[in-house]
Amino acid sequence: MSSLYDRHKAVIPDWIALYYRDPIEITHGEGRHVWDAHGRKYLDFFGGILTTMTAHALPEVTKAVAEQAGRIIHSSTLYLNRPMVELAERVAGLSGIPDARVFFTTSGTEANDAALLLATTYRGSNQILAMRNSYHGRSFSTVGITGNRAWSPTGLSPLQTLYVHGGVRGRGPYAGLTDERFIEACVADLEDMLGQTRAGVAALIAEPIQGVGGFTSPPDGLYAAFRRVLDRHGILWISDEVQTGWGRTGEHFWGWQAHGQAGPPDVLTFAKGIGNGMSIGGVVARAEVMNCLDANSISTFGGSPITMAAGLANLSHLLEHDLQGNARRVGGLLIERVRAAAAGVAEVREVRGRGLMIGIELTEPGTDRANPDAAAAVLETARENGLLIGKGGGHDTSTLRIAPPLSLTVAEAEEGAAILEQSLRSL
Ligand SMILES: Cc1ncc(COP(=O)(O)O)c(C=O)c1O
């Protein structure tokens, strides 16, 4: 009988990459822990790519899903849907966007695709500004605004995308500048780019902290400075909060708030954590933008009662237990421990991040050359020692990514940091 791995390879596309030399099958989870099919227990510092936001098997979410499944799983957008309206009300209120409307999808890709449809229709233009090293999803429209070549398999696109500097503080031509000069240089680059475009550009889309790109971000205030330029041209700002939303960054509920002087974005997209694993994505925009489409549009599964029930229970738990505050406190401690663990490890170029979104960039010792082999080796050793982490970053995957559920305890942070230290030192 062939292994699950062999069977996987026989029917699943080659471009779906699995972690580890011996890929693992996760069979169940609880809190911040998961178990594989051999019964091995792991501390989970990646949450299924930042998606298990509160905790594995959170009783409130399980109960909400089971109860909703027992009543009705699907009714469609043709009928009133109480859990969808309730979650939309809460998300609209939390978004900071005035007179907000919320459209639910089933993924972050589809949320960004909807945001692009809105922005290009509203502005009557297919020109989009995106950040270098960005990732916005896997569809034909979103790979066309994804600056990270490892995740953008085609150059064909319905959009004309103009890539702007600024998403990566520590690399590129402006890396050596002070924060203030860095922002000035990026704004000058944006102005220069806009001076070369013909019709009005539709929107700028940006992740406040780049997720797949390796948890890189600009200095606080860059997007506020960009906003002033965009406003002069009537260009919309879309904040892709798929990884940074719901308090993960600790200091802020949304990533855009690190650029708070700008006020809220025109359009905000979200996904991943809100459903704690149930497939919820969505886009928030003020009514004027959201309602600019003059044809019908639906997402059959978007806003389904069962995912909305999960989202409501998950969001309530997050807010009632102040998990944003926990991300700030425990994340602050964790990044200190990670910095200490990385000290003196020649391959570590930088430890960066905010809240429970921490990256460790690895290079060949003494150089700026990416070191994907070292990243793969640490990932492997950490797993052997009972810790799951992720990786990502730039052209070569050489940044370790740490993003546990937001309920992480101090003891778990200490335990994970100790395993990371051991794994880094075994390089
Ligand atoms: C910032 C960002 N936007 C969009 C997406 C796409 O979301 P999904 O995989 O749910 O389609 C991702 C997924 O990793 C993401 O990190």
Side-chain angles (χ1 to χ4, degrees), residues 40 42 375:
R40 282 210 58 178
Y42 302 95

Side-chain angles (χ1 to χ4, degrees), residues 45-47 49-54 209 215 242-255 273 318 323-324 327-328 331 354-358 402-407:
F45 269 21
F46 207 38
I49 323 183
L50 294 88
T51 301
T52 303
M53 171 170 78
T54 48
I209 298 178
F215 293 174
V242 167
Q243 296 213 7
T244 45
W246 319 109
R248 174 161 293 280
T249 65
E251 284 159 61
H252 307 106
F253 193 75
W254 303 109
L318 175 99
L323 295 191
Q324 177 188 338
R328 187 178 58 244
R354 241 186 174 132
L356 284 171
M357 207 171 172
I358 300 171
I402 297 164
L406 304 187
S407 55

Side-chain angles (χ1 to χ4, degrees), residues 14 25 79 87 119 142 144 160 197 240-241 261 263 274 280 284 290-291 304 309 328 341 379:
D14 288 353
E25 177 193 1
Y79 309 105
L87 189 56
T142 55
Q160 187 189 353
T197 58
D240 179 340
E241 300 277 350
Q261 315 90 304
I274 179 65
I280 305 178
V284 193
M290 183 67 88
N291 293 333
S304 79
R328 187 178 58 244
L379 201 85

Side-chain angles (χ1 to χ4, degrees), residues 194-210:
L194 290 173
Q196 319 256 337
T197 58
R198 190 174 286 274
V201 168
L204 166 85
I205 184 164
E207 305 155 83
I209 298 178
Q210 296 185 327

Side-chain angles (χ1 to χ4, degrees), residues 25-77:
E25 177 193 1
I26 293 178
T27 52
H28 64 286
E30 195 185 318
R32 274 73 49 201
H33 288 94
V34 292
W35 283 258
D36 72 14
H38 301 291
R40 282 210 58 178
K41 182 180 177 184
Y42 302 95
L43 185 55
D44 184 5
F45 269 21
F46 207 38
I49 323 183
L50 294 88
T51 301
T52 303
M53 171 170 78
T54 48
H56 288 282
L58 188 77
E60 293 96 306
V61 172
T62 310
K63 182 164 175 275
V65 169
E67 286 180 357
Q68 185 60 49
R71 286 193 295 272
I72 188 157
I73 292 178
H74 175 76
S75 61
S76 91
T77 48

Side-chain angles (χ1 to χ4, degrees), residues 131 166-169 182-183 207-210 216-223 259 354:
M131 307 306 293
V168 183
R169 176 69 185 91
F182 182 95
I183 291 176
E207 305 155 83
I209 298 178
Q210 296 185 327
T216 50
S217 58
D220 288 356
L222 176 78
Y223 293 117
H259 310 266
R354 241 186 174 132

